[in-house]
């Protein structure tokens, strides 16, 4: 158990980075694991599970804590709040952790962080919850909004929007899917290796592999420790990419020799998918706003050893005259609220506000206005987001064809987690009409 104290310290470090410093959870977690590569597989798994679980279930955990603590979670010191939250998560969701260990290690961590005077308080709250886990009273199911919010830890304002668009069963299926543990979704670089050969290589490295039945390039991976340690990953034989994201290039159906522009490409999954489908022909120009994001794309280009793709730093919201009618296919996978990927980015639901979402809708329209002239007559524009919201999706698609009648919508779909395979994701495909002679 000696190393477990260190594990919990690292969990607290990540949680405070997310809460206090505004870091995104997946980045904070990755940074800590990268900085502590000496950790064994079980320790890395423990840190990942407690971190992600505590964040995912935060609303429910606070609801539970507030029933047993005189000081409500909103009034607690941040360090104490996160120590207790992570302790309660272990008590409720981790049968492998003895209740005594969850309580005792939380008390030790409280003392180590300089709050020795609160050791009795932390111990009392956690042990009270431990003794009464089966007696905790949840909201009445008839109060659908409140019950869903507490049970699945989803802010009520987001639920209001979803319940206005979908029935209760669909919304609950989405919420349940966000909390479900899933294998890693990956895309095989088919221009370099067949999917079956890749699966065989990965299995030799100890990875459990299943082939996606819908997409010929898709695989599901689990059972590995550190992705970067896999030889097949180092050799660039596959990209980590969700099934929903892969559908963009599949819908685009690039033809040999096509010129493709991806205006918000980092870290490069869709752009590299297009380059792979072009099989060494044509060219893909992958763009993003900052040098940092561009370098992320270059990292993947170099790893995947693709030659028909380039990455450049360019502001998608600023019109580029040199790109006018240059693209056979334009990919506009734009900044969005991310409500479709809450299973992987656990803290987004707490960071997002209605006002911030409205700003994103405005930005999406600004970018679409700037980049649509890059499409050749007869060319395709693929607009996509990883969110579930009509304002950012269907309403933007309608606005686009109303504002730019030279484009016609070919098809669109809102993919829903728990209903469709993959993340919550939206794709709309448009075709630019030929000019009348």
């Amino acid at each position: 158990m000696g190393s477990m104290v260190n594990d919990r310290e690292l969990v607290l470090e990540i949680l405070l980075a997310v809460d206090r410093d505004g870091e995104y959870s997946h980045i904070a977690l990755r940074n800590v694991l990268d900085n502590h590569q000496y950790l064994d597989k079980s320790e890395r798994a423990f840190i990942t599970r407690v971190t992600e679980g505590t964040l995912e279930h935060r609303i429910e955990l606070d609801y539970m804590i507030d029933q047993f603590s005189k000081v409500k979670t909103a009034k607690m010191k941040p360090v104490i709040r996160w120590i207790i939250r992570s302790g309660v998560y272990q008590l409720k969701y981790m049968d492998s952790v003895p209740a005594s260990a969850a309580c005792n290690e939380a008390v030790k961590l409280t003392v180590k962080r300089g709050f020795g005077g609160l050791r009795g308080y932390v111990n009392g709250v956690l042990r009270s919850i431990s003794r009464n886990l089966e007696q905790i009273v949840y909201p009445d199911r008839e109060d659908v909004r409140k019950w869903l919010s507490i049970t699945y830890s989803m802010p009520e304002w987001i639920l209001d929007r979803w319940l206005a668009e979908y029935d209760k069963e669909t919304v609950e299926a989405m919420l349940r899917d966000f909390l479900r543990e899933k294998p890693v979704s990956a895309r095989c670089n088919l221009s370099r290796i067949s999917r079956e050969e890749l699966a065989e290589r990965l299995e030799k490295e100890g990875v459990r592999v299943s082939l996606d039945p819908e997409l010929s390039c898709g695989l599901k991976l689990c059972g590995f420790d550190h992705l970067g340690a896999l030889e097949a990953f180092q050799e660039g034989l596959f990209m980590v990419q969700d099934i929903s994201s892969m559908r963009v290039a599949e819908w685009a159906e690039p033809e040999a020799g096509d010129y493709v522009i991806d205006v918000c490409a980092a870290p490069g999954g869709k752009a590299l998918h297009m380059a792979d489908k072009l099989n060494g022909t044509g060219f893909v120009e992958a763009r993003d706003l900052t040098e940092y994001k561009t370098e992320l794309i270059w990292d993947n280009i170099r790893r995947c050893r693709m030659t028909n793709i380039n990455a450049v730093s360019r502001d998608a919201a600023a019109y580029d005259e040199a790109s006018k009618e240059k693209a056979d296919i334009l990919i506009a996978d734009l900044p969005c609220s991310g409500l479709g990927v809450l299973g992987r980015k656990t803290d987004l639901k707490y960071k997002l506000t209605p006002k911030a979402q409205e700003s994103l809708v405005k930005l999406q329209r600004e970018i679409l206005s700037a980049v649509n002239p890059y499409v050749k007559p007869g060319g395709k524009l693929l607009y996509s987001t990883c969110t579930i919201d009509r304002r950012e999706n269907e309403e933007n698609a309608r606005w686009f064809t109303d504002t730019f009648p030279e484009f016609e919508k070919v098809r669109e779909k809102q993919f829903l987690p728990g209903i469709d395979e993959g993340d919550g994701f939206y794709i709309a495909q448009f075709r630019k009409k030929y000019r009348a002679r």
Side-chain angles (χ1 to χ4, degrees):
M1 289 298 293
S3 66
M4 295 297 279
V5 177
N6 184 52
D7 293 345
R8 289 176 170 86
E9 283 185 76
L10 294 178
V11 168
L12 181 60
E13 178 184 327
I14 298 166
L15 294 173
L16 289 172
V18 172
D19 185 31
R20 180 189 59 209
D21 305 331
E23 185 66 271
Y24 285 107
S25 60
H26 63 291
I27 295 175
L29 177 61
R30 183 188 64 206
N31 289 342
V32 166
L33 293 180
D34 285 349
N35 290 335
H36 298 81
Q37 294 192 18
Y38 60 84
L39 295 169
D40 64 30
K41 183 176 180 179
S42 63
E43 289 174 314
R44 298 171 72 88
F46 177 86
I47 292 166
T48 300
R49 171 141 186 219
V50 178
T51 298
E52 293 181 343
T54 301
L55 289 167
E56 281 178 334
H57 293 273
R58 193 185 88 183
I59 292 175
E60 180 193 21
L61 298 174
D62 287 359
Y63 180 83
M64 295 169 64
I65 294 166
D66 287 348
Q67 293 183 44
F68 295 90
S69 173
K70 291 181 180 178
V71 180
K72 303 308 178 188
T73 50
K75 299 292 186 181
M76 292 179 184
K77 297 178 184 299
V79 169
I80 300 302
R81 181 164 56 230
W82 285 111
I83 288 175
I84 294 178
R85 281 172 173 166
S86 61
V88 175
Y89 174 77
Q90 293 167 61
L91 290 172
K92 181 168 175 62
Y93 288 104
M94 296 184 70
D95 292 339
S96 61
V97 178
S100 58
C103 297
N104 292 339
E105 299 300 337
V107 171
K108 290 179 184 178
L109 188 52
T110 300
V111 174
K112 192 164 187 177
R113 293 304 297 250
F115 294 95
L118 294 175
R119 69 172 76 184
Y121 165 72
V122 170
N123 185 60
V125 171
L126 289 175
R127 293 200 181 273
S128 294
I129 293 173
S130 177
R131 289 192 300 269
N132 295 281
L133 269 177
E134 302 305 319
Q135 284 73 49
I136 292 174
V137 178
Y138 281 77
D140 193 301
R141 279 177 171 264
E142 294 302 312
D143 186 349
V144 174
R145 178 175 180 260
K146 188 71 173 177
W147 183 80
L148 289 174
S149 177
I150 299 300
T151 303
Y152 295 100
S153 287
M154 185 63 64
E156 292 184 5
W157 76 268
I158 296 176
L159 289 172
D160 287 341
R161 292 193 172 180
W162 288 349
L163 288 167
E165 297 175 9
Y166 306 104
D167 58 44
K168 172 184 174 293
E169 290 70 27
T170 298
V171 173
E172 188 171 2
M174 293 193 294
L175 297 172
R176 191 183 303 115
D177 189 74
F178 287 139
L179 299 180
R180 183 170 60 88
E181 188 174 355
K182 304 172 189 174
V184 171
S185 180
R187 175 182 56 77
C188 176
N189 283 322
L190 294 175
S191 61
R192 297 197 53 209
I193 190 171
S194 74
R195 185 171 66 161
E196 290 69 27
E197 289 173 314
L198 174 61
E200 184 177 343
R201 284 207 42 184
L202 287 167
E203 286 168 351
K204 287 180 180 178
E205 293 194 63
V207 182
R208 296 195 302 276
V209 182
S210 61
L211 305 183
D212 184 79
E214 176 189 348
L215 300 181
S216 61
C217 57
L219 309 93
K220 299 293 179 64
L221 316 179
C222 57
F224 60 90
D225 179 16
H226 185 51
L227 182 72
L230 297 175
E231 289 185 6
F233 180 79
Q234 295 170 4
E235 293 177 26
L237 300 180
F238 70 92
M239 284 279 294
V240 172
Q241 189 174 354
D242 189 75
I243 291 295
S244 297
S245 174
M246 296 180 210
R247 292 186 179 110
V248 173
E250 297 296 326
W251 279 32
E253 297 179 317
E255 298 178 358
D258 275 353
Y259 194 95
V260 180
I261 299 176
D262 186 344
V263 296
C264 296
K270 298 175 190 67
L272 280 158
H273 192 181
M274 294 292 286
D276 187 49
K277 288 180 76 67
L278 286 168
N279 199 24
T281 73
F283 197 76
V284 179
E285 184 174 311
R287 303 175 174 182
D288 220 303
L289 181 60
T290 65
E291 293 294 340
Y292 168 74
K293 288 190 171 184
T294 305
E295 188 55 35
L296 291 178
I297 304 170
W298 271 117
D299 286 345
N300 282 315
I301 292 173
R302 288 187 284 263
R303 183 177 59 80
C304 294
R305 304 174 193 177
M306 296 288 177
T307 57
N308 59 338
I309 182 172
N310 185 33
V312 296
S313 179
R314 186 156 290 149
D315 183 358
Y319 173 65
D320 174 31
E321 176 64 27
S323 299
K324 184 177 180 180
E325 297 190 353
K326 190 176 182 180
D328 295 287
I329 299 172
L330 187 134
I331 300 175
D333 183 72
L334 302 188
C336 70
S337 57
L339 293 176
V341 293
L342 297 181
R344 291 189 285 110
K345 299 182 179 180
T346 53
D347 53 320
L348 283 180
K349 58 187 176 183
Y350 308 119
K351 294 178 183 292
L352 185 66
T353 65
K355 184 176 181 180
Q357 190 176 40
E358 290 303 320
S359 296
L360 285 166
V361 173
K362 181 180 179 183
L363 176 61
Q364 289 154 356
R365 295 185 179 189
E366 287 177 358
I367 293 175
L368 287 171
S369 297
V371 304
N372 78 80
Y374 307 162
V375 183
K376 295 177 181 177
K380 305 168 188 175
L381 187 155
L382 281 295
Y383 171 62
S384 61
T385 73
C386 57
T387 196
I388 306 164
D389 190 87
R390 289 189 180 277
R391 295 162 185 79
E392 298 178 71
N393 297 339
E394 291 92 340
E395 290 181 19
N396 265 353
R398 189 180 309 113
W399 166 87
F400 182 67
T401 52
D402 287 346
T403 308
F404 301 98
E406 64 270 30
F407 284 87
E408 61 180 354
K409 185 170 64 181
V410 178
R411 56 176 169 164
E412 68 177 333
K413 182 168 181 180
Q414 173 71 71
F415 297 92
L416 300 176
I419 305 297
D420 302 296
E421 179 70 14
D423 289 333
F425 205 85
Y426 172 80
I427 310 175
Q429 180 179 353
F430 304 92
R431 186 184 71 86
K432 190 171 186 178
K433 302 171 187 175
Y434 288 100
R435 297 186 186 92
R437 294 183 180 274

